[in-house]
């Protein structure tokens, strides 16, 4: 395209276009420019040499991010078949100068944020009164609806073009008419003509419905013309410049149009940004991940790129369908070579029916479903995903520009032998934190412990590379199970963590410090102590200990005190596994345990809803008394349990639960048990109190409960003594209590009751397992409709 200066040649491309990259290289070979200008952030020019350096494995991306909160980012991804990436490689191979010419990232990220805010995609600061805020919210909703309508009309326009061409969708239209274009001149002129006409139609839509979009593009294009003019001033009269830009902007590169002035450049809104390179993935490039400028099948288009370079594009159909068949065989589904051949023939026939020279990706998928899936998409879906998207992840060699925290993260991955887990495919990692005495070096002996510390730090920073899975053992024991999976989002999260510290350790310490500064919750402070221990941050542990000690002085919530004491108990019990000195936490545990003990009886004056938290706290306190008998006052704890179990003016469930703990500890004789059960379940005791007490008793050691036939006899007699309405009220609690019993436990209860009733115990248990009759189901429905509003 003519730009008004014969030295400037514009080549329009579609981002991530294999044919665009292939024909661009041929065009560059023909023109032999001294300067190659590429649409992209102009302040990223220093990264071009590193992008084109040896050892870089696409896909990669340039990441721009603001260096102040809130962090905003812009990503410029590059695949091996990206025309921009191939332009850089050509410039490096031929000694040409390569530059970016689009808006610098500090202006681009600000304008992008403004566009999103105007469309209601981000919250904006509102300093008006309530009426102004309401109007602003309505305005954002209107803007969002308007922008959504605009993009619908834009997509409808593209889809209409595909429909007129007899294609099922626009991507198929583009591939058949541009990716399969045989020569660089045909590609270049076709894309210029098509984009000029589409641009005119889209600008009409923008002016009528969304002038912000037209204004944004106008600013970018004026800036790019400015950059082209500046490049012309640096070359000789016979030197040539090639401009590589998106097809939509080709007609706007005419230098007869005005360029951005110095004054206009100064008025651009800006936010301070930094730039880095990062590995990317084909999944992220695919539209399934939400990346708007991606394509649906990056792995497929890389295969097309390879075939174009081998001058053998006709092999693409057989290569694609062979890979699908191979994936099916690997999963145990056999497909013959004959099926692949038939698939290729079908795809070529579909292409011929639509006037194409070779099958498109859509044609090949249709052929795969018919010939390899026998018409069932589900049976070949996974194999198609592997052939279309794949699991490719880029790589950057050491020395390539990255943020300090990225460098630190990569050093740790290498030191801890975790590099192989930097994959798009999730992998399990089992850690044993104990010392490995079979190795010689200290580093190897505690490799898993160091891995655990590193992974916990990443989790604390919100870097989604590793997720810890719950296991049956306590989370603080020697065993940990992690699932590791690398994503570009994890890399972005790592970059954002640069604002917290230059290394993973410093950033993690900063996060804990921030959380402690705003911490006013006892249990939260104790959790931070454990996090600091898991992350190997002793200074943060001490800071959290002091915070917890300060909060414990005025603490009065039993559940919070118990939770905090439990965290300290776990830390003290397993701290030696993580090589942490926990002696300073013992006095604090003693203080919290004593405070919780003294609060128990008074805290038990609560509703059934609050009793759930109390039960958890009582369990935690009793566990501490069992695991730390030398550090805490177990006798005083048991005395308070006796006091609660004996009280009639406390929550009945909690009194029953305290009784169950004492029963489990064999501190209640059979006579005492019989006497208490008789008292609690005697006729005249309100249903909610009697059944609620039994519910509390049933929440502890079931085996101790099941072995006491006297208790079941007392319960049977109590239930038999209730009037109809009281009986229905008691069922609320009894159903809740027995609902958590396992089938074998219910069968054991049925056998015990059967014997008490003079029946065959085993027969009673079998009858219990039989399905309900129609009459019994009807009774159950009546119970569900019963009005328990008076409870």
């Amino acid at each position: 395209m003519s730009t008004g200066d014969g030295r400037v040649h514009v080549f329009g491309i579609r981002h991530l276009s294999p044919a665009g990259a292939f024909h661009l290289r041929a065009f560059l070979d023909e023109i032999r420019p001294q300067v190659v200008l590429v649409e992209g952030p102009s302040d990223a020019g220093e990264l071009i040499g590193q992008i084109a350096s040896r050892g870089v494995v696409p896909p990669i991306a340039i990441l721009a991010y603001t260096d102040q909160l809130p962090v905003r980012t812009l990503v410029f991804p590059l695949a091996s078949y990206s025309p921009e990436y191939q332009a850089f490689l050509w410039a490096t191979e031929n000694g040409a100068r390569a530059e970016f010419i689009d808006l610098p990232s500090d202006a681009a990220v600000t304008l992008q944020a403004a566009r999103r805010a105007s469309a209601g995609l981000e919250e904006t600061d509102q300093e008006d009164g309530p009426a102004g805020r309401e109007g602003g919210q309505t305005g954002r909703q209107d803007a969002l609806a308007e922008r959504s309508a605009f993009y619908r009309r834009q997509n409808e326009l593209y889809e209409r073009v595909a429909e007129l061409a007899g294609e099922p969708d626009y991507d198929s239209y583009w591939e058949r008419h541009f990716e399969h274009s045989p020569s660089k001149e045909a590609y270049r002129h076709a894309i210029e003509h098509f984009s000029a006409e589409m641009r005119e139609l889209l600008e009409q839509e923008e002016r009528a419905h969304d002038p912000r979009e037209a204004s944004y593009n106008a600013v970018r294009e004026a800036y790019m013309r400015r950059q082209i003019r500046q490049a012309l001033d640096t070359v000789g009269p016979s030197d040539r410049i090639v401009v590589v830009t998106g097809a939509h902007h080709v007609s706007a590169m005419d230098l007869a149009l005005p360029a951005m002035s110095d004054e206009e450049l100064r008025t651009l809104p800006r936010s301070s940004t930094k730039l880095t390179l990062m590995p990317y993935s084909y999944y992220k490039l695919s539209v399934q991940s939400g990346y708007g400028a991606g394509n649906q099948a990056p792995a497929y288009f890389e295969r097309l790129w390879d075939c174009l370079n081998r001058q053998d594009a006709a092999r693409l159909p057989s290569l694609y369908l062979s890979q699908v068949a191979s994936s099916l065989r690997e999963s145990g589904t056999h497909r013959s070579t004959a099926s692949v051949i038939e698939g290729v023939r079908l795809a070529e026939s579909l292409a011929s029916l639509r006037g194409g020279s070779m099958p498109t990706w859509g044609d090949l998928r249709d052929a795969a479903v018919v010939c390899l899936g026998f018409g069932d998409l589900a049976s070949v879906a996974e194999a198609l995903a592997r052939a279309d998207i794949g699991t490719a992840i880029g790589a950057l060699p050491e020395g390539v520009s990255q943020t300090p925290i990225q460098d630190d993260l990569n050093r740790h991955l290498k030191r801890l032998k975790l590099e192989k887990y930097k994959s798009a495919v999730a992998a399990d990692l089992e850690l044993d934190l104990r010392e490995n005495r079979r190795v010689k070096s200290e580093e190897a002996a505690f490799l898993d412990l160091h891995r655990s510390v590193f992974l916990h730090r990443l989790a604390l920073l919100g870097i989604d590379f590793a997720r810890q899975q719950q296991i049956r053992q306590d989370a603080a024991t020697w065993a940990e199970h992690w699932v590791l999976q690398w994503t570009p989002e994890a890399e972005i999260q790592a970059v954002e963590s640069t604002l917290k510290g230059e290394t993973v350790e410093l950033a993690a310490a900063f996060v804990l410090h921030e959380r402690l500064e705003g911490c006013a919750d006892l249990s939260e402070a104790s959790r931070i102590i454990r996090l600091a221990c898991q992350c190997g941050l002793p200074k943060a542990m001490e800071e959290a200990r002091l915070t917890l000690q300060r909060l414990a002085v005025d603490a009065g919530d039993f559940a919070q005190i118990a939770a905090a004491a439990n965290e300290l108990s776990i830390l003290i019990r397993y701290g030696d596994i993580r090589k942490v000195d926990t002696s300073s936490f013992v006095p604090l545990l003693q203080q919290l345990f004593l405070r919780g003990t003294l609060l128990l009886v008074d805290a038990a004056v609560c509703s059934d809803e609050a009793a759930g938290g109390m039960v958890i706290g009582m369990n935690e306190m009793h566990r501490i008394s069992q695991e730390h008998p030398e550090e805490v006052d177990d006798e005083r704890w048991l005395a308070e349990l006796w006091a609660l179990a004996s009280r009639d003016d406390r929550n009945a469930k909690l009194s029953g639960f305290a009784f169950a703990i004492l029963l489990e500890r064999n501190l209640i004789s059979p006579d005492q048990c019989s006497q208490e059960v008789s008292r609690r379940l005697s006729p005249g005791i309100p249903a909610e109190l009697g059944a609620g007490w039994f519910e509390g008793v049933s929440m502890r050691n079931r085996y101790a409960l099941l072995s006491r036939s006297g208790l079941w006899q007392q319960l049977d007699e109590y239930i038999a003594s209730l009037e109809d309405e009281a009986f229905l009220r008691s069922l609320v609690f009894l159903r809740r209590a027995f609902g958590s019993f396992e089938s074998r436990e219910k069968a054991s209860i049925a056998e015990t009751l059967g014997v008490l009733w003079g029946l065959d115990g085993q027969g009673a248990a079998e009858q219990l397992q039989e399905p309900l009759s129609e009459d019994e189901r009807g009774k159950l429905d009546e119970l569900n409709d019963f009005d328990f509003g008076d409870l």
Side-chain angles (χ1 to χ4, degrees):
M1 191 209 82
S2 172
T3 64
D5 190 309
R7 293 176 293 172
V8 178
H9 305 267
V10 180
F11 195 95
I13 51 93
R14 190 187 196 194
H15 300 291
L16 300 169
S17 166
F22 181 75
H23 295 315
L24 172 61
R25 289 200 63 117
F27 183 75
L28 292 170
D29 286 336
E30 177 186 339
I31 302 298
R32 308 297 301 178
Q34 283 70 44
V35 180
V36 179
L37 303 179
V38 176
E39 178 189 325
S42 58
D43 53 339
E46 294 181 357
L47 300 178
I48 292 176
Q50 298 183 55
I51 291 171
S53 63
R54 293 173 62 113
V56 172
V57 180
I60 60 172
I62 299 172
L63 174 67
Y65 61 99
T66 55
D67 55 10
Q68 292 182 351
L69 296 174
V71 177
R72 295 190 176 96
T73 60
L74 284 178
V75 179
F76 188 88
L78 298 165
S80 59
Y81 54 85
S82 294
E84 301 93 335
Y85 178 68
Q86 291 301 321
F88 298 147
L89 291 184
W90 187 94
T92 300
E93 295 163 1
N94 292 274
R97 188 172 89 243
E99 296 178 2
F100 282 118
I101 58 169
D102 205 347
L103 287 172
S105 62
D106 58 354
V109 73
T110 307
L111 291 174
Q112 285 277 33
R115 291 169 69 214
R116 289 180 59 84
S118 67
L121 299 177
E122 282 185 351
E123 289 295 328
T124 56
D125 293 334
Q126 295 287 339
E127 298 180 358
D128 301 324
R133 287 196 295 272
E134 183 178 350
Q137 179 65 28
T138 303
R140 287 195 297 274
Q141 292 174 349
D142 292 343
L144 178 58
E146 182 180 343
R147 180 173 288 272
S148 299
F150 165 72
Y151 283 121
R152 278 198 306 272
R153 288 189 295 270
Q154 177 178 321
N155 291 333
E156 287 172 1
L157 183 60
Y158 282 113
E159 293 302 323
R160 179 62 177 159
V161 169
E163 183 182 349
L164 291 173
E167 296 291 346
D169 53 60
Y170 180 73
D171 285 327
S172 294
Y173 167 81
W174 178 271
E175 184 180 356
R176 201 179 311 279
H177 290 82
F178 295 97
E179 298 301 326
H180 296 171
S181 184
S183 70
K184 67 178 185 301
E185 292 303 320
Y187 178 90
R188 185 184 178 205
H189 293 311
I191 203 171
E192 287 177 4
H193 180 71
F194 175 77
S195 63
E197 292 188 350
M198 291 298 292
R199 179 187 177 93
E200 183 178 352
L201 293 172
L202 288 172
E203 285 180 345
Q204 293 175 5
E205 284 285 325
E206 289 170 353
R207 285 193 294 269
H209 302 286
D210 192 4
R212 293 182 299 269
E213 189 71 19
S215 299
Y216 176 68
N217 282 325
V219 170
R220 292 179 58 200
E221 291 161 354
Y223 183 84
M224 286 193 278
R225 291 192 293 269
R226 174 190 176 92
Q227 295 299 98
I228 296 172
R229 289 181 183 276
Q230 289 182 348
L232 280 170
D233 294 338
T234 65
V235 299
S238 60
D239 289 341
R240 293 166 298 281
I241 295 174
V242 168
V243 178
V244 182
T245 183
H248 181 79
H249 305 294
V250 169
S251 58
M253 295 300 101
D254 188 346
L255 297 183
L257 298 172
M260 181 177 289
S261 66
D262 292 343
E263 178 62 26
E264 290 170 331
L265 181 61
R266 281 193 294 271
T267 59
L268 284 177
R270 298 175 184 267
S271 301
S272 179
T273 57
K274 293 183 178 180
L275 293 156
T276 185
L277 291 176
M278 57 179 277
Y280 219 60
S281 72
Y282 272 171
Y283 171 74
K284 187 63 177 174
L285 283 176
S286 69
V287 294
Q288 285 87 335
S289 71
Y291 171 57
N295 54 41
Q296 292 177 303
Y300 163 79
F301 284 110
E302 182 187 32
R303 194 175 292 104
L304 172 57
W305 164 249
D306 292 338
C307 289
L308 289 172
N309 282 306
R310 292 197 302 265
Q311 304 291 324
D312 195 10
R315 284 194 63 201
L316 178 62
S318 59
L319 291 174
Y320 176 85
L321 291 173
S322 294
Q323 181 177 349
V324 175
S326 177
S327 296
L328 289 171
R329 292 183 190 123
E330 289 174 4
S331 64
T333 304
H334 178 71
R335 291 294 182 267
S336 66
T337 303
S339 297
V340 174
I341 294 172
E342 288 302 314
V344 172
R345 288 175 178 170
L346 176 57
E348 290 174 342
S349 298
L350 292 172
S352 179
L353 287 172
R354 290 167 177 150
S357 59
M358 60 181 289
T360 64
W361 172 63
D363 296 333
L364 292 171
R365 279 180 63 91
D366 289 343
V369 171
V370 172
C371 296
L372 300 179
F374 306 126
D376 180 20
L377 173 61
S379 63
V380 293
E382 183 177 350
L384 287 173
R386 292 181 180 276
D388 297 341
I389 301 172
T391 58
I393 292 178
L396 294 170
E398 291 186 13
V400 168
S401 174
Q402 296 194 70
T403 60
I405 202 166
Q406 284 175 289
D407 290 335
D408 184 60
L409 188 149
N410 289 327
R411 281 194 298 271
H412 277 86
L413 289 176
K414 184 175 182 179
R415 179 177 70 87
L416 299 174
K417 298 179 173 59
L418 294 174
E419 286 181 304
K420 64 180 181 179
Y421 295 99
K422 202 172 183 182
S423 166
V425 179
D428 292 318
L429 177 63
E430 300 285 349
L431 298 182
D432 184 340
L433 308 188
R434 298 171 297 185
E435 180 181 0
N436 183 357
R437 300 181 182 276
R438 293 172 295 180
V439 295
K440 295 181 179 179
S441 70
E442 183 178 354
E443 177 72 18
F446 295 103
L447 176 63
D448 277 2
L449 176 59
H450 295 153
R451 283 174 165 180
S452 172
V453 169
F454 176 65
L455 296 178
H456 277 293
R457 288 174 179 176
L458 295 185
L460 177 64
L461 292 173
I463 298 174
D464 296 329
F465 170 60
R467 300 184 306 278
Q468 188 176 9
Q469 305 298 299
Q470 293 297 326
I471 55 178
R472 291 184 179 178
Q473 291 173 293
D474 193 290
T477 62
W478 53 266
E480 287 184 352
H481 178 201
W482 294 81
V483 175
L484 278 59
Q485 183 178 24
W486 188 91
T487 63
E489 286 83 0
E491 195 89 34
I492 294 174
Q493 291 157 353
V495 171
E496 292 174 349
S497 297
T498 299
L499 301 181
K500 302 179 180 73
E502 293 188 347
T503 66
V504 173
E505 180 178 357
L506 290 175
F510 179 82
V511 170
L512 290 180
H513 177 73
E514 271 194 328
R515 289 177 61 172
L516 281 171
E517 281 190 332
C519 180
D521 182 275
L522 202 66
S523 56
E524 172 65 11
S526 63
R527 282 193 293 270
I528 293 175
I529 291 177
R530 197 209 280 207
L531 282 173
C533 175
Q534 292 171 333
C535 293
L537 300 170
K539 290 184 179 179
M541 282 181 65
E542 179 60 18
E543 183 183 0
R545 185 188 69 81
L546 294 175
T547 301
L548 179 60
Q549 196 166 37
R550 172 176 55 81
L551 294 172
V553 173
D554 300 319
D557 186 310
F558 175 83
Q560 281 198 20
I561 291 172
N566 184 57
E567 290 285 354
L568 292 183
S569 168
I570 294 172
L571 178 64
I572 293 168
R573 185 179 179 189
Y574 300 111
D576 60 331
I577 294 177
R578 292 186 172 275
K579 307 303 176 186
V580 173
D581 181 11
T582 60
S583 58
S584 63
F585 293 96
V586 173
L588 186 53
L589 172 65
Q590 293 170 331
Q591 176 186 344
L592 289 171
F593 185 84
L594 178 59
R595 195 171 187 85
T597 298
L598 297 177
L599 283 172
L600 174 64
V601 176
D602 288 339
V605 182
C606 62
S607 66
D608 277 348
E609 183 178 358
M614 284 287 296
V615 166
I616 294 173
M618 290 171 67
N619 268 323
E620 291 170 335
M621 290 285 289
H622 191 63
R623 187 185 308 116
I624 295 170
S625 73
Q626 295 287 87
E627 294 175 354
H628 302 275
E630 296 181 0
E631 288 87 1
V632 301
D633 192 345
D634 181 48
E635 289 186 8
R636 189 152 199 170
W637 167 248
L638 292 175
E640 293 300 316
L641 286 176
W642 268 110
L644 176 57
S646 305
R647 297 286 288 264
D648 296 333
D649 56 349
R650 295 298 183 262
N651 184 283
K653 181 195 294 187
L654 297 180
S655 294
F657 191 69
F659 180 81
I661 293 177
L662 297 170
L663 194 66
E664 182 182 310
R665 291 280 296 267
N666 292 319
L667 298 175
I668 297 177
S669 67
D671 289 341
Q672 288 174 315
C673 178
S674 177
Q675 182 180 358
E676 183 67 11
V677 172
S678 176
R679 185 174 74 85
R680 292 286 184 175
L681 301 180
S682 63
I685 296 296
E688 57 268 28
L689 296 181
W693 180 86
F694 180 79
E695 181 185 1
V697 172
S698 69
M699 296 174 74
R700 281 297 291 191
N701 192 326
R702 297 280 173 74
Y703 293 105
L705 195 65
L706 295 172
S707 63
R708 286 172 167 80
S709 59
L711 186 149
W712 297 103
Q713 184 172 359
Q714 293 286 347
L715 177 63
D716 177 46
E717 293 174 357
Y718 170 71
I719 296 298
S721 71
L722 296 175
E723 299 292 339
D724 289 347
E725 184 173 340
F727 171 72
L728 292 174
R729 292 165 66 85
S730 71
L731 286 185
V732 175
F733 301 91
L734 294 175
R735 290 178 71 192
R736 194 162 60 195
F738 289 115
S740 61
F741 278 62
E742 297 179 3
S743 297
R744 54 188 175 81
E745 293 172 336
K746 293 177 183 178
S748 177
I749 294 171
E751 288 184 20
T752 301
L753 292 174
V755 172
L756 292 175
W757 296 332
L759 303 174
D760 175 26
Q762 186 174 356
E766 292 175 355
Q767 187 174 1
L768 178 69
Q769 306 298 327
E770 293 180 1
L772 295 177
S773 65
E774 290 291 338
D775 183 58
E776 288 169 333
R777 278 198 294 268
K779 294 293 185 183
L780 190 60
D781 291 338
E782 290 178 15
L783 178 61
N784 292 333
D785 295 335
F786 188 78
D787 183 8
F788 295 110
D790 294 333
L791 287 178

